[in-house]
Amino acid sequence: MQRTSGLIRLILCVVAAGLLSLLTAGCFLSTGREDTVPRGDRVNLVYYTIGEPDPDLKKVNDQINEVLARKIGVTLTYIKIGWQEYENRLNTMVSAGTPFDIAYAPEFTTYVKRGAWLRLDDDLSSTGKEMYDVIDPVFWEGVRMDDGGIYGVPTNKELAVRQQWMYPEELVNKYHIDMTKYNTLESLEPLMRMVKQNEPDYLPMELDKDSHNFFALYGYEYVIDKELPLMVQSLNPDSEVVSIFETPEARRILDTLRDYYQAGYINEDAALRENQELERGKKVFWKASSGGPLSESSWSKDRGYKVVAHPVTTEIVTTEDVRGGVMAVSAATKYPIECIKFLNLLNTDPEVRNLFNYGIEGVHYTLDENDQVVPIPPKDADGNPVADASSNYTGVTFTQGNWFILKTRGGENPEPLNKWDEFRASNARAVKSSTFGFTPDLSMMPIQMQNIKMVWQKYYPSLMTGSVDVDTELPKFNEELKQAGLDEVRAEVQKQLEDWRASGKR
């Protein structure tokens, strides 16, 4: 018995000595998220987001790393992928298990169901509590999934992303146009005709293959997104799920778009044109976009001339809009705590947030007497400013963190100094959709979903830009959607919606 006790003591001593040597070498054992890397080593996080890579991206990344290293002891590899490539690249990375730590997360719900994103609930009550407290509670409600979990950090911005129609201020003033009178597609016809006849330098109406959610004019919202053409009426608590292209409202919209296309109001390449940022300097009379209060300021900057805008939908908070600007942590990250520390800083620290959005002070912008950002135009090889050129660095604002700690813009088209007060007032007025927080689970229907998407891609761009005959193509579209399984999917969504309503979650 004594020999056994002595042997045990010997083993314990050896183990203790081994642990001591590990600790003195700078290593440790981890049982959770509190320690995820060797002490003394600096973590580098890999972050992907959407947007065209900027000429000065590395320069901004280097400056970001100086600040992050000083404040939270991490660095970041900041990677931007072009607007047309991002979603395919993200899908490939997730499918292949490519290592990364944080990403802008379009199709947020789909990726949650794929297990791509880390559940953050515990972190939001500890390491991320500061950002949890500053982001509007409605955003957290909107990104919370049916299992009760939160799997991403929403951009703290406007709650209600309204459909808005923008026009050049020059023509609005020239023709004394009252924008508030034009709230339906049909009402635009006299304006389209006037521009076509009198302003040959202007394209009357600009559309692209992704088109615009004209159905929102009639109070509809998608149950997931436009590639599944099922919708409900936002403010009707008993609204049924409809196949939108079978409705009279859709027929009215499509007929109007066809008339406009044949009249030469719409760009001929609309069905082929990719969705993109506003093209600088391009003369367009009417363009639809989505945004919150004062969006015309940023649209004017992007266009290179002054535009004015009129909202044509009400301030309704939808699940789709709230989930449209989420940053998520990879479920496979080795550094979850460091990811949360970075996201927390991005949402609470003005220095970091403004650096991501505007670039480096003195290089990409200066501050005027009102502490507003005035962009510095890029220079040519001789050091002369390049006219009508955008900055060498541009943050994609809706994808990155808390807006309410951003400086406002000055310069030629200055934003109001009380911009964020106007946003807060808009958020206070916003009304939640009757289906806010509802997320149908269609994981049991992968074949139907894929077939529906293929049919949608075949018909939607041409129909929604007026490029084809509605009498011929719309019946084909609806019939092929049925063959793909849309009625079956609609019935499943309707059942889940009724169950959700009965559960009292609405």
Side-chain angles (χ1 to χ4, degrees), residues 159 356 358 435 467:
L159 281 167
F356 269 92
Y358 297 120
T435 58
S467 304

Side-chain angles (χ1 to χ4, degrees), residues 28 30 32-38 43 334-338:
F28 65 94
S30 174
R33 294 193 186 178
E34 293 308 312
D35 293 311
T36 53
V37 291
V43 170
K334 296 179 180 178
Y335 313 121
I337 285 297
E338 288 73 19

Side-chain angles (χ1 to χ4, degrees), residues 46-48 79 81 88-103 111 114-117 329-334:
V46 177
Y47 163 48
Y48 283 89
I79 303 169
I81 304 297
N88 285 337
R89 179 77 72 87
L90 181 63
N91 178 57
T92 300
M93 291 193 303
V94 170
S95 299
T98 303
F100 68 93
D101 299 289
I102 300 169
Y111 279 85
R114 290 174 61 179
W117 307 134
V329 177
S330 170
T333 182
K334 296 179 180 178

Side-chain angles (χ1 to χ4, degrees), residues 216-229:
L217 298 173
Y218 296 95
Y220 285 103
E221 66 176 91
Y222 289 101
V223 296
I224 297 181
D225 58 34
K226 61 180 177 289
E227 293 185 349
L228 178 65

Side-chain angles (χ1 to χ4, degrees), residues 238-489:
D238 300 311
S239 174
E240 292 192 352
V241 180
V242 298
S243 174
I244 192 63
F245 287 100
E246 295 180 356
T247 64
E249 294 92 341
R251 179 64 198 234
R252 183 178 178 183
I253 290 167
L254 296 180
D255 284 339
T256 302
L257 290 171
R258 180 59 176 165
D259 289 343
Y260 287 179
Y261 186 87
Q262 290 183 307
Y265 301 157
I266 299 173
N267 47 299
E268 292 185 358
D269 68 340
L272 301 175
R273 179 177 295 183
E274 298 288 349
N275 185 17
Q276 57 190 18
E277 292 185 292
L278 297 179
E279 189 174 337
R280 191 170 181 83
K282 186 171 184 180
K283 292 190 172 183
V284 174
F285 174 70
W286 178 98
K287 175 75 174 177
S289 192
S290 301
L294 309 174
S295 290
E296 58 264 34
S297 296
S298 60
W299 293 334
S300 296
K301 175 184 70 71
D302 292 340
R303 272 297 194 211
Y305 56 81
K306 180 74 173 177
V307 303
V308 288
H310 169 59
V312 292
T313 59
T314 54
E315 291 169 308
I316 299 174
V317 189
T318 69
T319 308
E320 181 185 14
D321 287 339
V322 168
R323 294 179 183 176
V326 177
M327 293 177 72
V329 177
S330 170
T333 182
K334 296 179 180 178
Y335 313 121
I337 285 297
E338 288 73 19
C339 289
I340 300 301
K341 286 181 179 179
F342 163 66
L343 291 170
N344 192 71
L345 201 67
L346 184 64
N347 282 279
T348 60
D349 188 299
E351 180 183 9
V352 173
R353 184 66 189 90
N354 283 281
L355 181 53
F356 269 92
N357 201 69
Y358 297 120
I360 304 168
E361 183 180 355
V363 177
H364 302 109
Y365 70 92
T366 58
L367 294 175
D368 64 16
E369 65 277 7
N370 295 317
D371 202 36
Q372 288 189 298
V373 171
V374 179
I376 298 174
K379 297 179 179 180
D380 61 22
D382 297 324
N384 300 311
V386 179
D388 296 326
S390 57
S391 172
N392 279 336
Y393 174 80
T394 304
V396 185
T397 311
F398 77 93
T399 68
Q400 295 175 322
N402 182 10
W403 287 13
F404 294 90
I405 55 175
L406 282 170
K407 293 183 182 296
T408 55
R409 285 185 177 273
E412 293 183 7
N413 299 302
E415 296 173 333
L417 294 176
N418 69 339
K419 174 180 179 177
W420 302 126
D421 291 333
E422 293 199 29
F423 270 68
R424 290 185 183 94
S426 173
N427 285 356
R429 291 190 304 267
V431 177
K432 288 190 286 188
S433 162
S434 63
T435 58
F436 184 70
F438 169 65
T439 308
D441 180 6
L442 300 174
S443 58
M444 76 296 291
M445 295 181 162
I447 296 175
Q448 294 93 325
M449 294 293 287
Q450 181 60 33
N451 289 341
I452 289 167
K453 183 175 181 178
M454 290 173 63
V455 174
W456 181 90
Q457 292 172 337
K458 178 179 176 181
Y459 288 99
Y460 180 93
S462 54
L463 277 168
M464 289 299 292
T465 54
S467 304
V468 294
D469 180 69
V470 182
D471 288 331
T472 302
E473 299 303 308
L474 182 58
K476 292 181 185 177
F477 187 22
N478 281 325
E479 179 57 32
E480 291 188 31
L481 284 172
K482 289 180 183 292
Q483 293 174 1
L486 186 63
D487 286 347
E488 184 181 352
V489 175

Side-chain angles (χ1 to χ4, degrees), residues 42 63-75 345:
R42 179 165 289 160
Q63 182 66 29
I64 287 169
N65 284 342
E66 285 188 27
V67 177
L68 294 183
R70 170 166 43 91
K71 294 193 174 189
I72 57 173
V74 305
T75 56
L345 201 67

